[in-house]
Amino acid sequence: MRLSNLADYAVVTMSAAARHCGGGRTSAAELAAETGLPVPTVQKLVSKLSAAGLLRSTRGSGGGLQLARPAAAISVADIVEAVEGPIALTACIEGTDCTVSHDCSVRPHWPVVNQALRGALAGIPLTQLALEKEPA
Amino acid sequence: MRLSNLADYAVVTMSAAARHCGGGRTSAAELAAETGLPVPTVQKLVSKLSAAGLLRSTRGSGGGLQLARPAAAISVADIVEAVEGPIALTACIEGTDCTVSHDCSVRPHWPVVNQALRGALAGIPLTQLALEKEPA
DNA sequence: GACCAATCGGAACGATTTGGTCCGATTAAC
DNA sequence: GTTAATCGGACCAAATCGTTCCGATTGGTC
Protein backbone atom coordinates (compact mmCIF):
# COMPACT_ATOMS: atom_id res chain seq x y z
CA MET A 1 0.00 0.00 0.00
CA ARG A 2 2.95 2.20 -0.50
CA LEU A 3 4.35 3.25 -3.83
CA SER A 4 8.01 2.52 -4.39
CA ASN A 5 10.71 5.03 -3.69
CA LEU A 6 11.42 5.24 -7.40
CA ALA A 7 7.90 6.43 -8.05
CA ASP A 8 8.22 9.00 -5.33
CA TYR A 9 11.53 10.17 -6.74
CA ALA A 10 10.04 10.25 -10.21
CA VAL A 11 7.38 12.66 -9.09
CA VAL A 12 9.96 14.89 -7.49
CA THR A 13 12.14 14.70 -10.58
CA MET A 14 9.30 15.55 -12.91
CA SER A 15 8.33 18.40 -10.66
CA ALA A 16 11.85 19.77 -10.92
CA ALA A 17 11.83 19.26 -14.68
CA ALA A 18 8.58 21.18 -14.93
CA ARG A 19 10.26 24.27 -13.50
CA HIS A 20 12.91 24.05 -16.19
CA CYS A 21 10.32 23.71 -18.88
CA GLY A 22 10.70 27.38 -19.67
CA GLY A 23 14.29 26.92 -20.80
CA GLY A 24 13.24 23.73 -22.48
CA ARG A 25 16.50 21.99 -21.81
CA THR A 26 17.90 20.44 -18.69
CA SER A 27 19.98 17.41 -17.87
CA ALA A 28 19.76 14.47 -15.54
CA ALA A 29 22.69 15.84 -13.57
CA GLU A 30 20.90 19.14 -13.22
CA LEU A 31 17.79 17.52 -11.88
CA ALA A 32 19.84 15.38 -9.52
CA ALA A 33 21.57 18.44 -8.12
CA GLU A 34 18.27 20.18 -7.47
CA THR A 35 16.43 17.24 -6.00
CA GLY A 36 19.36 15.89 -4.03
CA LEU A 37 18.91 12.43 -5.50
CA PRO A 38 21.86 10.32 -6.65
CA VAL A 39 22.77 11.03 -10.24
CA PRO A 40 22.55 7.39 -11.44
CA THR A 41 19.13 7.07 -9.87
CA VAL A 42 17.88 10.10 -11.74
CA GLN A 43 19.35 8.69 -14.93
CA LYS A 44 17.39 5.52 -14.46
CA LEU A 45 14.23 7.48 -13.79
CA VAL A 46 14.83 9.60 -16.86
CA SER A 47 15.16 6.46 -18.93
CA LYS A 48 11.83 5.13 -17.78
CA LEU A 49 10.08 8.45 -18.09
CA SER A 50 11.42 8.91 -21.60
CA ALA A 51 10.34 5.43 -22.59
CA ALA A 52 6.88 6.23 -21.26
CA GLY A 53 6.71 9.34 -23.41
CA LEU A 54 6.66 11.86 -20.57
CA LEU A 55 10.10 13.25 -21.25
CA ARG A 56 11.82 14.05 -24.52
CA SER A 57 15.52 13.27 -24.41
CA THR A 58 18.17 14.62 -26.73
CA ARG A 59 21.49 12.84 -26.84
CA GLY A 60 24.94 14.11 -27.48
CA SER A 61 26.81 17.00 -26.04
CA GLY A 62 24.59 19.96 -25.38
CA GLY A 63 21.71 17.57 -25.30
CA GLY A 64 19.22 17.48 -22.53
CA LEU A 65 15.71 16.78 -21.43
CA GLN A 66 12.39 18.51 -21.77
CA LEU A 67 8.81 17.68 -21.03
CA ALA A 68 7.16 15.88 -23.90
CA ARG A 69 3.79 17.29 -22.93
CA PRO A 70 2.64 20.46 -21.16
CA ALA A 71 2.92 20.18 -17.41
CA ALA A 72 -0.83 20.59 -17.08
CA ALA A 73 -1.35 17.47 -19.19
CA ILE A 74 0.80 15.27 -16.96
CA SER A 75 -0.76 13.81 -13.85
CA VAL A 76 0.65 11.88 -10.95
CA ALA A 77 -1.03 8.79 -12.31
CA ASP A 78 0.97 9.13 -15.53
CA ILE A 79 4.24 9.32 -13.64
CA VAL A 80 3.43 6.43 -11.34
CA GLU A 81 2.35 4.26 -14.23
CA ALA A 82 5.52 5.13 -16.12
CA VAL A 83 7.70 3.89 -13.29
CA GLU A 84 5.67 1.12 -11.69
CA GLY A 85 3.59 -0.08 -14.58
CA PRO A 86 -0.19 -0.12 -14.70
CA ILE A 87 -1.96 0.83 -11.51
CA ALA A 88 -3.46 -2.41 -10.24
CA LEU A 89 -3.83 -3.14 -6.57
CA THR A 90 -4.10 -6.87 -7.11
CA ALA A 91 -2.87 -9.32 -9.68
CA CYS A 92 -6.50 -10.14 -10.42
CA ILE A 93 -6.94 -6.90 -12.32
CA GLU A 94 -4.18 -6.96 -14.87
CA GLY A 95 -3.28 -10.65 -14.77
CA THR A 96 -5.66 -13.28 -15.88
CA ASP A 97 -6.74 -14.34 -12.42
CA CYS A 98 -5.60 -15.13 -8.91
CA THR A 99 -3.91 -18.43 -8.28
CA VAL A 100 -6.58 -19.16 -5.72
CA SER A 101 -9.63 -17.84 -7.51
CA HIS A 102 -11.90 -20.58 -6.33
CA ASP A 103 -14.72 -18.58 -4.85
CA CYS A 104 -12.96 -15.24 -4.85
CA SER A 105 -15.97 -13.13 -4.05
CA VAL A 106 -13.86 -10.03 -3.56
CA ARG A 107 -12.56 -9.96 -7.09
CA PRO A 108 -15.54 -8.11 -8.57
CA HIS A 109 -14.99 -5.31 -6.09
CA TRP A 110 -11.35 -4.58 -6.69
CA PRO A 111 -11.88 -2.61 -9.90
CA VAL A 112 -14.02 -0.17 -7.95
CA VAL A 113 -11.25 0.54 -5.50
CA ASN A 114 -8.75 0.57 -8.29
CA GLN A 115 -10.61 3.21 -10.23
CA ALA A 116 -11.07 5.33 -7.12
CA LEU A 117 -7.38 5.29 -6.52
CA ARG A 118 -6.46 5.99 -10.09
CA GLY A 119 -8.93 8.83 -10.22
CA ALA A 120 -7.37 10.41 -7.17
CA LEU A 121 -3.94 10.26 -8.74
CA ALA A 122 -5.08 11.40 -12.16
CA GLY A 123 -6.79 14.42 -10.62
CA ILE A 124 -3.51 16.02 -9.59
CA PRO A 125 -1.65 17.60 -12.51
CA LEU A 126 2.05 18.26 -12.49
CA THR A 127 1.47 21.99 -12.43
CA GLN A 128 0.00 21.74 -8.97
CA LEU A 129 2.98 19.82 -7.68
CA ALA A 130 5.42 22.28 -9.18
CA LEU A 131 4.11 25.09 -7.02
CA GLU A 132 6.57 26.24 -4.43
CA LYS A 133 3.98 26.28 -1.68
CA GLU A 134 0.70 24.50 -1.18
CA PRO A 135 -2.23 26.32 -2.77
CA ALA A 136 -4.42 26.53 0.33
CA MET B 1 1.27 0.98 -6.42
CA ARG B 2 0.18 -2.52 -5.68
CA LEU B 3 -0.69 -3.91 -2.30
CA SER B 4 1.20 -7.00 -1.24
CA ASN B 5 -0.10 -10.48 -1.80
CA LEU B 6 -0.46 -10.89 1.94
CA ALA B 7 -2.88 -8.01 2.08
CA ASP B 8 -4.84 -9.48 -0.78
CA TYR B 9 -4.92 -12.84 0.93
CA ALA B 10 -5.93 -11.19 4.17
CA VAL B 11 -8.99 -9.68 2.54
CA VAL B 12 -9.96 -13.04 1.10
CA THR B 13 -9.40 -14.73 4.44
CA MET B 14 -11.46 -12.18 6.31
CA SER B 15 -14.17 -12.53 3.72
CA ALA B 16 -14.25 -16.26 4.33
CA ALA B 17 -14.24 -15.74 8.08
CA ALA B 18 -17.18 -13.39 7.77
CA ARG B 19 -19.26 -16.19 6.33
CA HIS B 20 -18.47 -18.33 9.35
CA CYS B 21 -19.39 -15.55 11.70
CA GLY B 22 -22.73 -17.15 12.23
CA GLY B 23 -21.18 -20.19 13.88
CA GLY B 24 -18.78 -17.91 15.63
CA ARG B 25 -15.96 -20.40 15.53
CA THR B 26 -13.67 -21.42 12.73
CA SER B 27 -10.01 -22.32 12.43
CA ALA B 28 -7.09 -21.26 10.32
CA ALA B 29 -7.10 -24.67 8.65
CA GLU B 30 -10.76 -24.24 7.83
CA LEU B 31 -10.17 -20.88 6.21
CA ALA B 32 -7.18 -22.22 4.33
CA ALA B 33 -9.25 -25.05 2.91
CA GLU B 34 -11.95 -22.67 1.72
CA THR B 35 -9.70 -20.02 0.27
CA GLY B 36 -7.18 -22.45 -1.20
CA LEU B 37 -4.31 -20.64 0.46
CA PRO B 38 -1.43 -22.49 2.15
CA VAL B 39 -2.21 -23.26 5.76
CA PRO B 40 0.93 -21.63 7.22
CA THR B 41 0.22 -18.50 5.26
CA VAL B 42 -3.25 -18.28 6.71
CA GLN B 43 -1.81 -18.84 10.16
CA LYS B 44 0.51 -15.94 9.69
CA LEU B 45 -2.34 -13.77 8.50
CA VAL B 46 -4.47 -14.80 11.44
CA SER B 47 -1.68 -13.79 13.79
CA LYS B 48 -1.49 -10.33 12.32
CA LEU B 49 -5.23 -9.88 12.13
CA SER B 50 -5.60 -10.96 15.73
CA ALA B 51 -2.87 -8.61 16.85
CA ALA B 52 -4.67 -5.82 15.04
CA GLY B 53 -7.87 -6.58 16.88
CA LEU B 54 -9.87 -7.70 13.88
CA LEU B 55 -10.05 -11.36 14.88
CA ARG B 56 -10.57 -12.92 18.26
CA SER B 57 -8.53 -16.09 18.69
CA THR B 58 -9.14 -18.83 21.23
CA ARG B 59 -6.31 -21.21 21.91
CA GLY B 60 -6.31 -24.84 22.94
CA SER B 61 -8.11 -27.78 21.54
CA GLY B 62 -11.52 -26.91 20.27
CA GLY B 63 -10.39 -23.33 20.02
CA GLY B 64 -10.93 -21.23 16.98
CA LEU B 65 -11.38 -17.82 15.47
CA GLN B 66 -14.18 -15.34 15.26
CA LEU B 67 -14.60 -11.78 14.12
CA ALA B 68 -13.82 -9.33 16.89
CA ARG B 69 -16.20 -6.79 15.37
CA PRO B 70 -19.34 -7.07 13.26
CA ALA B 71 -18.54 -7.55 9.60
CA ALA B 72 -20.21 -4.27 8.78
CA ALA B 73 -17.77 -2.46 11.06
CA ILE B 74 -14.70 -3.83 9.29
CA SER B 75 -13.51 -2.15 6.12
CA VAL B 76 -10.87 -3.00 3.58
CA ALA B 77 -8.77 -0.19 4.98
CA ASP B 78 -8.76 -1.90 8.39
CA ILE B 79 -7.54 -5.16 6.90
CA VAL B 80 -4.89 -3.55 4.77
CA GLU B 81 -3.58 -1.52 7.68
CA ALA B 82 -3.52 -4.61 9.86
CA VAL B 83 -1.26 -6.42 7.43
CA GLU B 84 0.78 -3.67 5.84
CA GLY B 85 0.82 -1.06 8.55
CA PRO B 86 -0.49 2.47 8.19
CA ILE B 87 -1.60 3.48 4.75
CA ALA B 88 1.01 5.93 3.56
CA LEU B 89 2.01 6.24 -0.06
CA THR B 90 5.31 7.88 0.76
CA ALA B 91 7.71 7.85 3.67
CA CYS B 92 7.11 11.58 4.03
CA ILE B 93 3.71 10.96 5.59
CA GLU B 94 4.45 8.64 8.44
CA GLY B 95 8.18 9.09 8.75
CA THR B 96 9.68 12.35 9.79
CA ASP B 97 10.63 13.47 6.31
CA CYS B 98 12.20 12.44 3.06
CA THR B 99 15.94 12.03 2.93
CA VAL B 100 15.98 14.56 0.13
CA SER B 101 13.48 17.10 1.42
CA HIS B 102 15.33 20.07 0.18
CA ASP B 103 12.66 21.82 -1.77
CA CYS B 104 10.20 18.97 -1.84
CA SER B 105 7.28 20.92 -3.17
CA VAL B 106 5.22 17.80 -3.67
CA ARG B 107 5.18 16.84 -0.01
CA PRO B 108 2.23 19.06 0.91
CA HIS B 109 0.13 17.35 -1.72
CA TRP B 110 0.66 13.73 -0.72
CA PRO B 111 -1.74 13.79 2.22
CA VAL B 112 -4.52 14.73 -0.17
CA VAL B 113 -3.90 11.69 -2.34
CA ASN B 114 -3.38 9.58 0.74
CA GLN B 115 -6.72 10.53 2.21
CA ALA B 116 -8.47 9.94 -1.08
CA LEU B 117 -7.05 6.46 -1.25
CA ARG B 118 -7.82 5.64 2.35
CA GLY B 119 -11.35 6.93 1.94
CA ALA B 120 -11.90 4.65 -1.01
CA LEU B 121 -10.74 1.64 0.96
CA ALA B 122 -12.61 2.59 4.12
CA GLY B 123 -15.81 2.93 2.13
CA ILE B 124 -16.02 -0.77 1.39
CA PRO B 125 -17.18 -2.82 4.39
CA LEU B 126 -16.47 -6.49 4.76
CA THR B 127 -20.13 -7.32 4.33
CA GLN B 128 -19.99 -6.16 0.75
CA LEU B 129 -17.00 -8.33 -0.02
CA ALA B 130 -18.62 -11.38 1.58
CA LEU B 131 -21.41 -11.36 -0.97
CA GLU B 132 -21.28 -14.28 -3.33
CA LYS B 133 -21.93 -12.10 -6.36
CA GLU B 134 -21.36 -8.48 -7.13
CA PRO B 135 -24.27 -6.28 -6.03
CA ALA B 136 -24.94 -4.63 -9.39
C1' DG C 1 37.26 15.18 -42.03
C1' DA C 2 38.76 13.46 -37.45
C1' DC C 3 38.97 13.85 -32.57
C1' DC C 4 37.04 14.74 -28.13
C1' DA C 5 33.66 15.57 -24.68
C1' DA C 6 29.12 15.07 -22.88
C1' DT C 7 24.89 12.71 -22.61
C1' DC C 8 21.47 8.98 -22.56
C1' DG C 9 20.61 3.82 -22.59
C1' DG C 10 21.01 -0.69 -20.85
C1' DA C 11 23.09 -4.25 -17.93
C1' DA C 12 25.02 -6.16 -13.56
C1' DC C 13 25.50 -6.17 -8.53
C1' DG C 14 23.94 -5.73 -3.73
C1' DA C 15 20.45 -4.77 -0.21
C1' DT C 16 15.94 -4.89 1.58
C1' DT C 17 11.48 -6.50 1.93
C1' DT C 18 8.21 -10.03 1.10
C1' DG C 19 6.37 -14.66 1.15
C1' DG C 20 6.55 -19.40 2.72
C1' DT C 21 7.75 -23.00 6.09
C1' DC C 22 8.68 -25.02 10.41
C1' DC C 23 8.78 -25.73 15.41
C1' DG C 24 7.53 -24.46 20.14
C1' DA C 25 4.19 -22.53 23.83
C1' DT C 26 -0.44 -22.45 25.39
C1' DT C 27 -4.95 -24.11 26.36
C1' DA C 28 -9.14 -26.88 26.59
C1' DA C 29 -11.04 -31.33 26.65
C1' DC C 30 -10.91 -36.20 28.15
C1' DG D 1 -2.87 -35.99 34.73
C1' DT D 2 -2.61 -36.94 30.07
C1' DT D 3 -3.63 -36.08 25.43
C1' DA D 4 -4.71 -33.57 21.42
C1' DA D 5 -5.48 -29.54 18.88
C1' DT D 6 -4.73 -24.80 18.33
C1' DC D 7 -2.37 -20.26 17.92
C1' DG D 8 2.08 -17.65 18.32
C1' DG D 9 6.68 -16.54 17.06
C1' DA D 10 11.10 -17.53 14.71
C1' DC D 11 13.88 -19.15 10.80
C1' DC D 12 14.90 -19.54 5.83
C1' DA D 13 14.37 -18.93 0.80
C1' DA D 14 12.80 -16.05 -3.02
C1' DA D 15 11.60 -12.01 -5.47
C1' DT D 16 11.70 -7.34 -6.01
C1' DC D 17 13.61 -2.89 -5.40
C1' DG D 18 17.35 0.30 -5.30
C1' DT D 19 21.89 1.53 -6.50
C1' DT D 20 25.94 1.56 -9.18
C1' DC D 21 28.76 0.96 -13.12
C1' DC D 22 29.89 0.54 -18.03
C1' DG D 23 28.93 0.93 -23.04
C1' DA D 24 26.57 3.20 -27.25
C1' DT D 25 25.25 7.38 -29.42
C1' DT D 26 25.54 12.16 -30.66
C1' DG D 27 27.00 17.05 -31.06
C1' DG D 28 30.68 20.37 -30.86
C1' DT D 29 35.37 21.63 -31.89
C1' DC D 30 39.88 21.68 -34.06
Side-chain angles (χ1 to χ4, degrees):
Chain A
M1 205 63 267
R2 180 178 306 172
L3 50 80
S4 64
N5 292 343
L6 270 305
D8 186 5
Y9 297 163
V11 175
V12 176
T13 300
M14 286 293 288
S15 177
R19 297 201 200 92
H20 285 277
C21 189
R25 292 183 188 84
T26 183
S27 66
E30 186 86 8
L31 295 176
E34 296 180 4
T35 57
L37 298 172
V39 177
T41 298
V42 175
Q43 284 188 355
K44 189 174 184 60
L45 288 173
V46 166
S47 299
K48 289 208 171 200
L49 293 170
S50 299
L54 296 179
L55 284 177
R56 180 84 43 174
S57 65
T58 306
R59 301 176 69 161
S61 96
L65 303 172
Q66 55 184 358
L67 295 179
R69 307 285 293 173
I74 299 177
S75 69
V76 177
D78 295 327
I79 301 172
V80 172
E81 285 188 338
V83 175
E84 296 198 343
I87 293 178
L89 276 74
T90 64
C92 310
I93 297 175
E94 57 177 4
T96 55
D97 53 5
C98 318
T99 58
V100 290
S101 61
H102 300 324
D103 54 356
C104 188
S105 61
V106 308
R107 189 177 49 195
H109 301 285
W110 279 126
V112 180
V113 183
N114 206 49
Q115 286 301 320
L117 167 60
R118 199 182 190 291
L121 293 178
I124 299 183
L126 188 57
T127 51
Q128 185 170 349
L129 296 177
L131 297 174
E132 290 294 335
K133 303 296 182 182
E134 63 267 40
Chain B
M1 205 62 267
R2 179 178 307 172
L3 51 79
S4 64
N5 293 344
L6 270 303
D8 187 4
Y9 297 163
V11 174
V12 176
T13 301
M14 287 293 287
S15 177
R19 297 201 200 90
H20 285 279
C21 189
R25 292 182 188 83
T26 184
S27 66
E30 186 84 8
L31 296 176
E34 296 179 5
T35 58
L37 299 171
V39 177
T41 299
V42 175
Q43 285 189 355
K44 189 175 183 63
L45 289 173
V46 166
S47 299
K48 288 207 173 202
L49 293 170
S50 300
L54 296 179
L55 284 177
R56 178 85 40 172
S57 64
T58 305
R59 298 176 71 161
S61 94
L65 303 171
Q66 54 183 358
L67 296 179
R69 308 282 296 171
I74 299 177
S75 69
V76 177
D78 295 327
I79 301 173
V80 172
E81 286 189 338
V83 176
E84 295 198 343
I87 294 178
L89 276 75
T90 63
C92 310
I93 297 175
E94 58 174 5
T96 55
D97 52 7
C98 319
T99 57
V100 291
S101 61
H102 299 326
D103 54 354
C104 187
S105 61
V106 307
R107 190 176 48 194
H109 301 287
W110 279 127
V112 179
V113 183
N114 206 50
Q115 286 300 320
L117 167 59
R118 199 182 190 289
L121 293 178
I124 299 183
L126 187 57
T127 52
Q128 186 170 348
L129 297 177
L131 296 174
E132 291 295 336
K133 303 296 182 183
E134 62 266 39

